[in-house]
Amino acid sequence: MSLRDLPKVDVLASAAELVSFTPEVRIASARHAIDLGRLRIGAGQPMGNLLESALNHANALSLPSMVPVINASGVILHTGLGRARLAASVAQELGQLAANHARVEFDLETGKRGDRQDHVRELLCYLTGAEDAYVVNNCAAAVFLSLSALAKRKEVILSRGEMVEIGGAFRMPDVVRQSGCKLVEIGCTNKTHVKDYSEAISSRTAAILRCHPSNFHIVGFTETPTTEELAGLAQQHGVVLIYDVGSGCLVDTSQFGLPREPVLGESLKQGADLVLSSGDKMLGGPQSGLILGSKSLMSRIKKHPLARAVRIDKLSLYALDATLKLYVNGRQNEIPTLRYLNRDLAEVKAFAERIAKACGGDVSEALTETGGGSIPGQGVKTWRVSLPQGKPERQMRSLRELSVPVIGRIEAGRVWLDPRTCDENEVRFIESSF
C-alpha cells in the first residue's frame, strides 16, 4: 500500500455517508481522514478505513460532545459526570434563561448597573447566618481569592494532616503558595495539636487555614483541634481563621445514615471567620465556590482584582439562586442529591429487580458512594445488578454506545448497575436496552 492509494479529498467528501453534513464539514473531515491515512502509510501500517475516520470526525465537529448520560455507577456525586444533578424545576427554567437576555447585573428599578452577587447574597446569609457572602466559579477559586486578598506576602498555617490533593492533581499547598502566601506546615499526618498552631503564629502570620479532608479519611491514632479551639486562638492573636469545609452541606447528613459533615451555618457559629465550600456537592447545585463571613473581610475580597477573574457566570448563578430557593421554601427534597441519599431502599430494590429481569442478571446489596470528595469511604445502602458473566470491558462499551449512554462500574470481574441515582424513565430505558 502506497500514498497513491489515498483518495482525493473531493472524492471522499462526496461519499453518501457524509451527505447529511455541510460542505465545510465534509471537506474538513475528508482531509482529516486522508492525513491520518498518510501518517499510517508512512509508518508502514495499513491506511485503515478512511470513510469511518471521516464520519467520526464529522460527527465530532457537528454533534454536541457533552451529552446526557444515565448514572448507574454507584456514585451519587460523580465528578466525571458533573457531580450534582440539578433539580428538574431548576433545569427547566435554566434553559429558558439561557435563550434570553437576563437581569444579571442590571437594576430594574434604577436602570443602572447592578451587582450579580445580589441574586444569592441574601439567600446564603439567610440559610447560613453569615453576615455577608460572595460566590465565585468553584471552591478552589474561593480559596485562592480569599488567601490572595487577605494574606498575600504573609504566612498561612496549614496542618500536614489537611494538605489535601483535589481532582486533577491540584494540591492545597500549591494553591496556598500560588496565592502569594508563605505556607507554614505544622503537626503530623495523623495528629495536630492546638499548641502546634500556637507555636507557629508569628508577627508575619495572616491566617490559619483549615481544610476538611473531604476526599480521604484517616483512622486510628488521630487528633485535631476543634473549630472552636482554633477560632479562639485566631482571635487571641488577631489572625483570620479560614475553614474550607468542601462539601457545602446545608442539612445534617446523619439523617441519611452517614457521618455528620460540617454544616455551613454551624461552622460559622463555631467561630470561623470565613467558611468556603463547593456548590455542586452536598448542596446539590451548580459548580460554584461559596465564601461566607464578615462584611469587613468580604469587602477586601470583593475589591481584589482576582474577584472578577473568578466570578461566577450567569447560568451557574441562576442555578445556584434557584437551588437555594428550594431550601428556603422547604422543597429541598426536589434536589436530586438529597433525594437519592434519602431514597427508600425498597424503591431501589424494585428498580434493580426490573433491570435484572431484563438483562438476566443478579441483584445484591451494596453501598452507593456519595463521591465528589464528600464523606470519603462512606455511602448509603443500595441494591444493584450484576450483568450476566461476559467480557466486562466489552459490556461497558456496549452500555456507553447506547443512544443515551449508561455508566456502570466494573467490580470483581463483573459489570454492576446501581439504580439509586436513576429516575423512572431512565430505569425504563435500561430495561428496554437488553
Side-chain angles (χ1 to χ4, degrees), residues 127-157:
L127 289 166
T128 66
E131 189 176 306
D132 203 356
Y134 196 77
V135 181
V136 293
N137 57 23
N138 62 28
C139 192
V143 175
F144 192 77
L145 173 60
S146 298
L147 291 176
S148 297
L150 304 178
K152 191 169 185 177
R153 291 188 290 273
K154 294 184 179 180
E155 294 178 350
V156 174
I157 301 171

Side-chain angles (χ1 to χ4, degrees), residues 4 58 68 78 86 115 154-155 192-193 296 310 340 366 372 424:
R4 295 191 190 94
H78 193 302
L86 295 177
D115 182 355
K154 294 184 179 180
E155 294 178 350
T192 303
H193 305 278
S296 60
V310 298
Y340 296 152
E424 169 64 33

Side-chain angles (χ1 to χ4, degrees), residues 407-424:
I407 311 300
R409 73 191 302 166
I410 296 175
E411 193 176 296
R414 302 287 293 272
V415 173
W416 297 87
L417 300 178
D418 180 353
R420 175 173 280 276
T421 48
C422 298
D423 290 341
E424 169 64 33

Side-chain angles (χ1 to χ4, degrees), residues 3 12 18 28 30 39 79 115 179 181 196 210 212 228 231 254 262 272 289 306 321 327 347-348 376 383:
L3 295 177
L12 182 56
L18 297 173
L39 289 173
T79 299
D115 182 355
S179 65
C181 306
D196 294 319
R210 180 162 210 188
H212 182 58
E228 291 94 333
S254 64
L306 273 174
D321 173 33
Y327 282 98
E347 181 185 16
V348 179
W383 290 90

Side-chain angles (χ1 to χ4, degrees), residues 330-349:
R331 297 168 55 195
Q332 59 264 34
N333 287 337
E334 296 178 27
I335 298 171
T337 299
L338 301 184
R339 190 172 76 245
Y340 296 152
L341 286 170
N342 199 36
R343 194 167 222 164
D344 184 68
L345 197 56
E347 181 185 16
V348 179
K349 186 177 183 180

Side-chain angles (χ1 to χ4, degrees), residues 225-261:
T226 65
T227 302
E228 291 94 333
E229 289 174 323
L230 290 183
L233 182 67
Q235 187 174 15
Q236 178 185 344
H237 291 274
V239 300
V240 178
L241 174 59
I242 302 173
Y243 190 4
D244 175 7
V245 301
S247 64
C249 287
L250 286 174
V251 298
D252 182 358
T253 52
S254 64
Q255 66 181 290
F256 309 122
L258 294 168
R260 205 173 193 282
E261 281 282 280

